[in-house]
Amino acid sequence: MVEELVAAGATLATAGVVYVAAAARVVKQYERGVVFRLGKLRSEVRGPGFTMIVPGVDKLRKVNMQIVTMPVPAQEGITRDNVTVRVDAVVYFKVTGPAEAVVRVEDYRFAVSQMAQTSLRSIIGKSELDDLLSNREMLNQGLELMIDSPAVEWGVTIDRVEIKDVSLPETMKRSMARQAEADRERRARVINADAELQASKKLAEAAHQMADAPAALQLRLLQTVMAVAAEKNSTLVLPIPVELLRFLEKGAQGPTGEAGVDAGAQRAPSVESRAVQEELPPLEPRLNSDSEGSISRQE
């Protein structure tokens, strides 16, 4: 009798150990447990730690509550200004409703991935190329709203969406490079023109100042000569003031009376020579024949 009781107790203990082993579950800190009893969802969500279920009746499904980083494959589309681009992005999301993530959608990861791809193509079609390149923050916010709207019903919250890279055709890259080069050249010309304008104003002020004090021009000339001579040049170019040339020109002209007398003296011999030429008789040509019978003409 005692042996039968001991055997029954051992059997019960073994059955209890097997039951506990089959019913025991451990939920990690970053997980939550959703229990289905006979296929029906239990309202209670199991938290982290040790928990028990009814073997064969209950089924525990664990849901990861960590933030998931999901890359979005590159999507090719045409922007609003008719430029073909390839854009890829990355989505950060997490599960906030374990029961909804299990019940309302078959695979919430796949659903978020497909929604991100379609939303990215939609954003490409609504945006211009300049917005994709320089105004990504606004596009990220719009993309986040487009993905988050249906994901809320799945118990998923979109934490952040970032556009990673925008690939352009080679022809468009060359066109943008030429545009940037032309813009930089335009700005350089504007800066040079502004500098010339400022320099011309300063030179005009200096010219007015030197006109009031002519000695300042001579001092400036001497400073320039000293600066050139300091460089050990073998040739020195010394400019001559225009006023000195005008003074020499006036001195070379002299009094007008003396110039008239010299001109009359030079004209007198020409009159006498003309009279002598009129008195002389005209010369007649003569023909002489020599002993050999040749004829020569003499005047």
Side-chain angles (χ1 to χ4, degrees):
M1 186 65 183
V2 176
E3 295 177 355
E4 293 178 357
L5 292 175
V6 171
T11 303
L12 291 175
T14 303
V17 170
V18 172
Y19 178 81
V20 171
R25 295 291 186 273
V26 176
V27 180
K28 297 180 181 179
Q29 181 66 36
Y30 56 85
E31 294 177 339
R32 297 294 183 269
V34 179
V35 179
F36 291 90
R37 177 164 295 176
L38 298 176
K40 185 178 181 180
L41 177 66
R42 302 281 294 179
S43 59
E44 181 184 0
V45 177
R46 306 294 175 90
F50 181 81
T51 185
M52 298 286 292
I53 62 173
V54 178
V57 178
D58 294 344
K59 182 179 180 181
L60 180 66
R61 184 170 178 179
K62 300 177 182 179
V63 180
N64 194 333
M65 305 294 290
Q66 292 177 314
I67 294 178
V68 180
T69 303
M70 176 180 294
V72 181
Q75 303 296 315
E76 185 172 356
I78 300 177
T79 60
R80 192 166 60 180
D81 50 354
N82 299 325
V83 179
T84 303
V85 295
R86 289 178 60 88
V87 182
D88 57 352
V90 59
V91 181
Y92 302 90
F93 67 93
K94 63 181 179 180
V95 177
T96 55
E100 290 81 1
V102 174
V103 175
R104 294 191 176 184
V105 62
E106 180 181 4
D107 187 354
Y108 65 89
R109 290 175 180 265
F110 182 74
V112 172
S113 176
Q114 294 300 313
M115 180 58 65
Q117 294 180 31
T118 55
S119 300
L120 182 58
R121 285 194 293 268
S122 178
I123 284 292
I124 293 174
K126 295 179 180 179
S127 305
E128 296 183 356
L129 181 60
D130 293 339
D131 296 335
L132 290 175
L133 296 177
S134 60
N135 196 11
R136 293 189 181 182
E137 189 65 27
M138 184 181 67
L139 297 180
N140 292 337
Q141 295 178 0
L143 189 59
E144 180 180 348
L145 291 175
M146 293 179 66
I147 302 175
D148 190 61
S149 298
V152 172
E153 300 179 359
W154 307 334
V156 177
T157 301
I158 305 300
D159 187 72
R160 191 176 183 85
V161 180
E162 292 287 343
I163 295 177
K164 293 171 58 178
D165 187 24
V166 178
S167 301
L168 300 175
E170 292 297 329
T171 55
M172 181 57 63
K173 291 181 180 179
R174 289 193 294 268
S175 300
M176 294 177 65
R178 289 195 299 269
Q179 180 182 0
E181 183 179 358
D183 186 56
R184 287 193 298 268
E185 185 177 357
R186 178 185 61 82
R187 286 182 292 180
R189 290 183 178 180
V190 170
I191 293 173
N192 290 334
D194 192 11
E196 292 292 338
L197 177 60
Q198 296 179 4
S200 62
K201 291 181 179 179
K202 294 298 181 182
L203 289 175
E205 294 178 1
H208 288 299
Q209 188 68 26
M210 289 182 180
D212 297 337
L217 181 60
Q218 301 297 329
L219 293 176
R220 182 57 182 165
L221 177 60
L222 294 177
Q223 290 179 357
T224 304
V225 172
M226 291 178 60
V228 174
E231 298 179 358
K232 298 180 181 181
N233 294 326
S234 58
T235 303
L236 180 61
V237 179
L238 182 62
I240 300 176
V242 180
E243 290 78 3
L244 180 59
L245 295 177
R246 292 176 180 175
F247 176 75
L248 295 176
E249 182 180 359
K250 291 179 181 179
Q253 291 179 359
T256 57
E258 297 178 357
V261 173
D262 295 339
Q266 293 177 0
R267 286 194 300 270
S270 61
V271 175
E272 294 176 357
S273 60
R274 190 182 306 113
V276 172
Q277 292 178 0
E278 292 177 356
E279 293 177 358
L280 292 177
L283 297 178
E284 296 180 359
R286 292 181 299 173
L287 300 177
N288 297 327
S289 60
D290 52 7
S291 59
E292 297 179 356
S294 62
I295 300 174
S296 62
R297 181 176 179 180
Q298 295 181 356
E299 295 180 0

